[in-house]
Amino acid sequence: VLGNGAALEHAAQHLRRAPALSVGAHLDLVAGAPVARGRRTIVGPDGNFLGLEAFARALKKGRVDRHEVQVETAAQIDRLLGHRMTVAHLDSIGHVHVRALIRDAVAKVCRTYRVRILRIPEDPGDPALLSDCRRARIVYRHYGGFGPVSYR
């Protein structure tokens, strides 16, 4: 469920009919408007996110403030929790949550909110990702259908 999505209230209404169901936070750092205000490095002049390609370029150039990523990730999870959703896992648009420069910020928020599962692509393209997950004691699951691998 998108924490900054326009259909969040609609989704929440349907999910209230299944209170035992946990959901995944689909982190959005690239499209639409942020939940947290006052961001500068992850938004454009219009106040909306930069878009996937521009976000990737900003990351590569070191222009993305990790603290802003943390604040926005927490704000989106808070919004889901405010709708009485139980957040069990996290993934993101464009797999940005696994990018080396910000995954530690995302993992820190996951630990704080006890989101124990990060979904990652079957081939994350970065061998350090799995060791970072182990170090953060985060369970990860591949999109490719492999079983969970737990590091506790």
Side-chain angles (χ1 to χ4, degrees):
V1 178
L2 286 166
N4 71 332
L8 178 59
E9 183 59 43
H10 180 72
Q13 287 174 3
H14 286 286
L15 289 167
R16 283 187 200 111
R17 296 181 196 142
L21 183 67
S22 62
V23 300
H26 195 62
L27 178 64
D28 183 0
L29 296 173
V30 299
V35 174
R37 300 292 170 223
R39 304 302 103 212
R40 294 185 328 226
T41 68
I42 61 175
V43 298
D46 63 354
N48 288 322
F49 289 122
L50 298 169
L52 185 56
E53 290 177 14
F55 185 78
R57 283 193 304 272
L59 267 176
K60 191 174 185 176
K61 293 178 181 179
R63 294 183 180 159
V64 173
D65 183 328
R66 292 178 191 174
H67 180 70
E68 286 191 14
V69 170
Q70 255 180 281
V71 169
E72 180 60 26
T73 301
Q76 289 185 29
I77 292 173
D78 279 335
R79 195 153 181 238
L80 299 179
L81 295 174
H83 284 279
R84 299 190 314 252
M85 295 180 194
T86 301
V87 179
H89 72 274
L90 182 135
D91 61 5
S92 66
I93 294 177
H95 310 303
V96 297
H97 69 288
V98 299
R99 302 258 181 160
L101 298 174
I102 62 167
R103 68 174 165 243
D104 59 333
V106 173
K108 184 174 183 176
V109 175
C110 286
R111 283 191 307 273
T112 300
Y113 285 87
R114 296 193 166 123
V115 176
R116 297 282 303 150
I117 299 171
L118 284 178
R119 292 189 69 203
I120 61 171
E122 186 172 346
D123 178 11
D126 182 356
L129 172 63
L130 302 183
S131 63
D132 286 352
C133 286
R134 286 190 289 271
R135 191 171 40 260
R137 286 184 252 129
I138 299 288
V139 175
Y140 60 88
R141 290 188 179 166
H142 291 281
Y143 286 109
F146 295 100
V149 179
S150 177
Y151 298 97
R152 288 186 169 83

